[in-house]
Amino acid sequence: METKYETILCIVNAGFSDAVMDAAREHGASGGTVIHARGTAAQEAQKLFNISIQPEKEIVMILVPSKIKDDILHSLYQAVGLKTPGQGIAFSIPVTNVVGINEEGQDKK
Amino acid sequence: MEIKRPHLPIHREKSQKENPNGLKAPSKLVMLITIVNRSKSDFFIDLIEGFKANFQTVIYGSGTAPSEVKKFLGLGNSEKAIIFSLISEKNLSNCLNALALRFENTRNGKGIAYSVPLNSVIGVLIYQFLSNNQTTTEE
C-alpha cells in the first residue's frame, strides 16, 4: 500500500530510546513517542541456563513521511539493530489519514 | 458562535471506490491513534467517543521532541497519552476534522492523530460493537 505517511515502530532495550531518536533525527524525523513495555522472547533459553531476565523494552513510535522512511529504517538498523546493545527491531505500518502536522514546517518543530 | 475551519492540513489517502450497483460493503474499521498531552487525555477520549468509537484504550508514554530547548525554557513536560480508538471508517473524517479543530483551539491541546486501516476482525458481534452498528444486533 502506497501512503504518504508511515509510522515507524522501533522496539529496543530500555534506555536506548534516545539512541533511536538520534538516529531518526539524522534523516529528518521530527519527534517520537516512547512507551515502556516488556518483552517475552527467549523463554527456553532462560530455562536452559536457569536465569531470569526481566526483559524491559521501550517502543518508539515515529510518524514520518514515506519518502524518508527507508533512510530512517536503515539508520535504525545500523544504530540500534539486533547486533548492537540496543537489540532493536524496527518496522513501519502505513497510515491513511493524518491530522496535526504542519507539512511545511515539519523540520523546524 | 463562529466555527473556524482548521488551518492544519489534513492528509487523506483516496478511499475505496463506490460500487456502481449501489451495493454497500460493511464499512471498514480503522484504528485511530491520537497522541496528546496527558492532562488532556480524558478530554480527547470524550471527544472521540462522541463519534461512536465504542472501544478506546490509553497508554501513557513520553514525547521525545527536541527537548534541550524546552528544558531550558522550563517547558519540559513531555508526558503524553497515546489513545488507541477503533472507529468505523464512515465516522472517521468527521472525527478527524473535530480533532484538527481541537488541536488548534484548545489550550495545551496540541497533538497529532493518524489512522491505520485494519485488515481483519473476527466475530460478528465484535464487529458490530466496534463499529457501533446497531441495526442487526437483536439476535
Side-chain angles (χ1 to χ4, degrees), chain B residues 33-52:
Chain B
I33 301 174
T34 312
I35 303 175
V36 291
N37 280 331
R38 224 175 260 193
S39 58
K40 286 284 178 288
S41 61
D42 285 346
F43 173 79
F44 281 101
I45 288 169
D46 288 346
L47 181 72
I48 298 169
E49 198 172 286
F51 293 92
K52 297 177 180 169

Side-chain angles (χ1 to χ4, degrees), chain A residues 1-7 9 17-18 21-22 25 30-36 60-63 93-104 108-109, chain B residues 8-13 30 33 35 59-68 80 82 84 92 96-97 99-101 103 110-117 119:
Chain A
M1 190 197 282
E2 284 289 315
T3 55
K4 200 175 165 195
Y5 285 95
E6 305 211 10
T7 179
L9 296 182
S17 59
D18 288 341
M21 279 317 297
D22 289 346
R25 283 212 188 94
S30 50
T33 308
V34 184
I35 312 170
H36 296 283
V60 187
M61 303 166 63
I62 314 169
L63 184 65
I93 50 181
V95 158
T96 46
N97 301 272
V98 179
V99 159
I101 284 188
N102 311 31
E103 294 193 4
E104 304 82 17
K108 282 181 242 158
K109 220 200 121 202
Chain B
L8 288 174
I10 300 181
H11 169 72
R12 296 231 166 82
E13 301 294 332
V30 295
I33 301 174
I35 303 175
I59 297 178
Y60 288 155
S62 53
T64 67
S67 52
E68 294 84 13
K80 300 282 178 200
I82 305 155
F84 293 87
L92 181 66
L96 288 170
N97 284 334
L99 282 171
L101 205 68
F103 287 155
K110 183 94 183 76
I112 61 172
Y114 54 90
S115 67
V116 179
N119 275 349

Side-chain angles (χ1 to χ4, degrees), chain B:
Chain B
M1 196 183 83
E2 183 191 352
I3 296 181
K4 259 179 34 184
R5 284 199 58 233
H7 294 298
L8 288 174
I10 300 181
H11 169 72
R12 296 231 166 82
E13 301 294 332
K14 277 178 204 147
S15 59
Q16 336 149 254
K17 280 177 197 157
E18 278 181 25
N19 189 321
N21 303 327
L23 294 173
K24 272 193 263 176
S27 75
K28 289 200 167 183
L29 289 170
V30 295
M31 175 171 276
L32 176 67
I33 301 174
T34 312
I35 303 175
V36 291
N37 280 331
R38 224 175 260 193
S39 58
K40 286 284 178 288
S41 61
D42 285 346
F43 173 79
F44 281 101
I45 288 169
D46 288 346
L47 181 72
I48 298 169
E49 198 172 286
F51 293 92
K52 297 177 180 169
N54 282 338
F55 175 79
Q56 307 195 67
T57 184
V58 185
I59 297 178
Y60 288 155
S62 53
T64 67
S67 52
E68 294 84 13
V69 186
K70 279 190 176 175
K71 265 181 201 158
F72 205 69
L73 297 170
L75 304 169
N77 184 11
S78 62
E79 294 184 322
K80 300 282 178 200
I82 305 155
I83 308 169
F84 293 87
S85 326
L86 287 170
I87 186 169
S88 172
E89 204 174 41
K90 62 175 191 273
N91 296 324
L92 181 66
S93 63
N94 285 338
C95 186
L96 288 170
N97 284 334
L99 282 171
L101 205 68
R102 295 299 177 195
F103 287 155
E104 272 192 17
N105 297 345
T106 309
R107 191 188 178 90
N108 210 4
K110 183 94 183 76
I112 61 172
Y114 54 90
S115 67
V116 179
L118 297 197
N119 275 349
S120 15
V121 58
I122 189 154
V124 175
L125 201 64
I126 301 286
Y127 170 77
Q128 287 173 342
F129 167 67
L130 294 176
S131 63
N132 197 42
N133 177 353
Q134 291 171 347
T135 52
T136 52
T137 34
E138 297 306 314
E139 283 150 350

Side-chain angles (χ1 to χ4, degrees), chain A residues 22-103:
Chain A
D22 289 346
R25 283 212 188 94
E26 269 176 30
H27 293 270
S30 50
T33 308
V34 184
I35 312 170
H36 296 283
R38 197 160 58 86
T40 64
Q43 296 283 351
E44 271 150 42
Q46 285 183 32
K47 268 184 205 153
L48 187 67
F49 295 107
N50 201 19
I51 53 168
S52 81
I53 302 166
Q54 191 70 300
E56 297 238 2
K57 301 281 180 188
E58 280 176 337
I59 306 174
V60 187
M61 303 166 63
I62 314 169
L63 184 65
V64 295
S66 303
K67 274 185 289 185
I68 60 172
K69 171 204 68 169
D70 284 332
D71 292 345
I72 292 178
L73 283 179
H74 275 122
S75 157
L76 291 181
Y77 182 79
Q78 303 292 343
V80 290
L82 278 180
K83 289 174 187 163
T84 68
Q87 292 183 316
I89 58 174
F91 52 90
S92 72
I93 50 181
V95 158
T96 46
N97 301 272
V98 179
V99 159
I101 284 188
N102 311 31
E103 294 193 4

